[in-house]
Amino acid sequence: MTSSYSFTAELWLYPGEAGWHFLTLPPDVADDIRARNAGHSKAFGSIQVTAEISGHTWQTSLFPDAHQGTYLLPVKKAIRARARISEGDAVKVSLSVIGT
């Protein structure tokens, strides 16, 4: 059984040299993912997912954000370019957790 979610979040840039862009999962989505994946996370508490933005799909991992009690979804440059999104944009995401 696959757990699937849809939500809209603002794309933001992590301050620092690396230039990673992220979407922060809404609390209700993060809570459900955490509950369904208790004891099944990978290194650093990451959870493997398939994500889709504007018809562009890729596999990545969610990373826990202990400060906010949620997960972060990294959005790589190739996806941002294809979807024509940038920092500050509200982005609609479809997310499927792999292996649940």
Side-chain angles (χ1 to χ4, degrees):
M1 181 174 151
T2 301
S3 301
S4 298
Y5 307 89
S6 292
F7 60 91
T8 300
E10 183 178 327
L11 185 67
W12 58 276
L13 174 63
Y14 182 82
E17 293 182 32
W20 286 87
H21 287 75
F22 294 96
L23 296 167
T24 302
L25 275 64
D28 60 326
V29 173
D31 290 347
D32 192 68
I33 290 172
R34 187 178 301 105
R36 291 176 182 259
N37 290 279
H40 299 287
S41 62
K42 304 290 183 198
F44 306 106
S46 65
I47 296 175
Q48 293 181 317
V49 297
T50 299
E52 184 270 324
I53 296 174
S54 298
H56 305 285
T57 304
W58 78 105
Q59 288 190 348
T60 188
S61 294
L62 300 176
F63 295 94
D65 178 353
H67 180 71
Q68 296 184 57
T70 186
Y71 289 96
L72 303 178
L73 172 66
V75 183
K76 60 186 180 177
K77 184 177 182 178
I79 297 298
R80 296 192 317 269
R82 287 186 210 132
R84 297 182 178 169
I85 58 174
S86 58
E87 180 183 3
D89 289 347
V91 179
K92 183 172 170 110
V93 179
S94 296
L95 193 70
S96 296
V97 177
I98 297 171
T100 61

